[in-house]
Amino acid sequence: MDMRTHDGSADVHPGAVDTGHSFRRRPDERIARAIARALGDAHHVLNVGAGTGSYENPAHTITAVEPSLAMRAQRPARLATAIDAVAEDLPFTDGRFDASMALFSVHQWSDAEAGLREMRRVTRGPVIVLTCDPARVRDFWLYDYAPDVLDTEARRYPRLSRLAGALGGTVTTRPVPIPLDCTDGFNEAYYGRPELLLDPAARQPCSAWSFIDDRARQDFDTSLRRALGSGAWDEAFGHLRHRPTYSGSLVLLRATP
Ligand SMILES: C[S@@+](CC[C@H](N)C(=O)[O-])C[C@H]1O[C@@H](n2cnc3c(N)ncnc32)[C@H](O)[C@@H]1O
């Protein structure tokens, strides 16, 4: 599925275009540290699919690429103005950047492999990709309550072997532990706080929710509320309320030439 917004960016249901995206997309400092470690001592960093600039670190000189006008417009004034371009056709010379990153973005590209080859071309050092492993997306309690959402996510995320193949060189793939009080707003961030996912505003940043219809959203709401009320959720998954971190489908790929 490759739906397009009015301004050309891929993959978000037209009725759910960008507004409020940054509302629950507050970068999590622990995830930010994992990204910073992967970028190493890079100075000039390219951020592809930069969105509103989550995880752009002031310690770096950032060049941001973002095809969505709505997203570019939401970038805070303190951040670099994003260039209107796509990963698949980066307007930069070979080896221009010390490092590059694509965070929560490759699943939206029309050709993930072409985009990653482009990132490799324009980057001297590490290329890092924060994404979800489609093989693990359904291993999450949410699958019991919103299977269509996670089926959608599992279809959208490219297989990690495809990403690694396109990046070439030496690729390491590490799970990113998600903290219990994660401030970022992707589904697994709520692994131990299920009540929060009942708030539509919490679900809004995850575009997979925009692919399901009102009836499926209502079914999710009803079944999760019922399971929380009856204690069934806690019986099955209550241990997660106290688990300090969760290793789910979130992974960080790091490729060096
Ligand atoms: C879920 S947002 C993530 C934004 C940001 N990286 C973050 O972590 O907050 C995915 C972004 O990828 C962008 N995108 C979609 N297709 C793209 C493409 N072909 N090339 C580059 N970026 C793309 C979207 O416009 C969107 O801003």
Side-chain angles (χ1 to χ4, degrees):
M1 186 162 354
D2 180 19
M3 305 183 88
R4 288 185 176 272
T5 61
H6 62 289
D7 61 359
S9 63
D11 196 45
V12 179
H13 190 282
V17 177
D18 300 332
T19 46
H21 176 275
S22 55
F23 178 61
R24 301 277 173 142
R25 287 294 327 276
R26 262 199 306 136
D28 183 89
E29 66 187 39
R30 283 91 14 133
I31 296 175
R33 277 200 291 274
I35 293 167
R37 273 195 302 274
L39 290 172
D41 58 4
H43 171 66
H44 196 178
V45 174
L46 172 67
N47 186 14
V48 179
T52 58
S54 299
Y55 299 105
E56 288 180 13
N57 184 335
H60 298 130
T61 297
I62 300 279
T63 295
V65 160
E66 172 51 55
S68 159
L69 173 62
M71 294 298 253
R72 290 199 303 278
Q74 288 181 64
R75 289 174 64 82
R78 68 186 151 76
L79 298 181
T81 303
I83 294 167
D84 179 9
V86 290
E88 294 86 340
D89 187 15
L90 293 173
F92 308 114
T93 52
D94 295 1
R96 164 96 180 271
F97 302 97
D98 299 321
S100 60
M101 61 186 189
L103 313 175
F104 296 112
S105 184
V106 288
H107 62 287
Q108 297 196 8
W109 302 355
S110 57
D111 186 340
E113 277 132 323
L116 292 176
R117 282 196 298 270
E118 276 289 88
M119 287 178 72
R120 179 70 283 155
R121 178 183 68 74
V122 302
T123 310
R124 288 189 295 279
V127 176
I128 72 165
V129 178
L130 184 68
T131 186
C132 292
D133 180 351
R136 298 217 47 202
V137 159
R138 295 182 180 91
D139 302 341
F140 182 42
W141 59 257
L142 186 59
Y143 197 58
D144 292 4
Y145 303 93
D148 295 349
V149 170
L150 297 194
D151 283 340
T152 301
E153 292 208 331
R155 271 197 306 276
R156 295 162 78 210
Y157 286 110
R159 282 199 318 276
L160 301 186
S161 56
R162 272 182 58 200
L163 303 181
L167 288 163
T170 305
V171 182
T172 57
T173 304
R174 293 190 202 290
V176 178
I178 300 164
L180 184 56
D181 59 351
C182 184
T183 61
D184 209 338
F186 49 92
N187 286 329
E188 288 177 353
Y190 301 102
Y191 71 89
R193 300 170 295 168
E195 289 81 2
L196 297 186
L197 263 185
L198 292 169
D199 179 353
R203 303 193 298 263
Q204 206 230 350
C206 264
S207 54
W209 287 96
S210 71
F211 289 97
I212 65 167
D213 58 22
D214 286 345
R215 173 73 189 270
R217 271 191 288 275
Q218 189 58 50
D219 287 350
F220 157 75
D221 190 86
T222 305
S223 61
L224 183 56
R225 273 183 205 283
R226 191 177 296 141
L228 288 167
S230 70
W233 188 93
D234 279 87
E235 203 171 304
F237 309 112
H239 59 283
L240 293 174
R241 290 191 189 276
H242 312 289
R243 187 182 285 186
T245 60
Y246 178 76
S247 263
S249 64
L250 190 65
V251 290
L252 192 60
L253 280 74
R254 182 179 194 270
T256 47

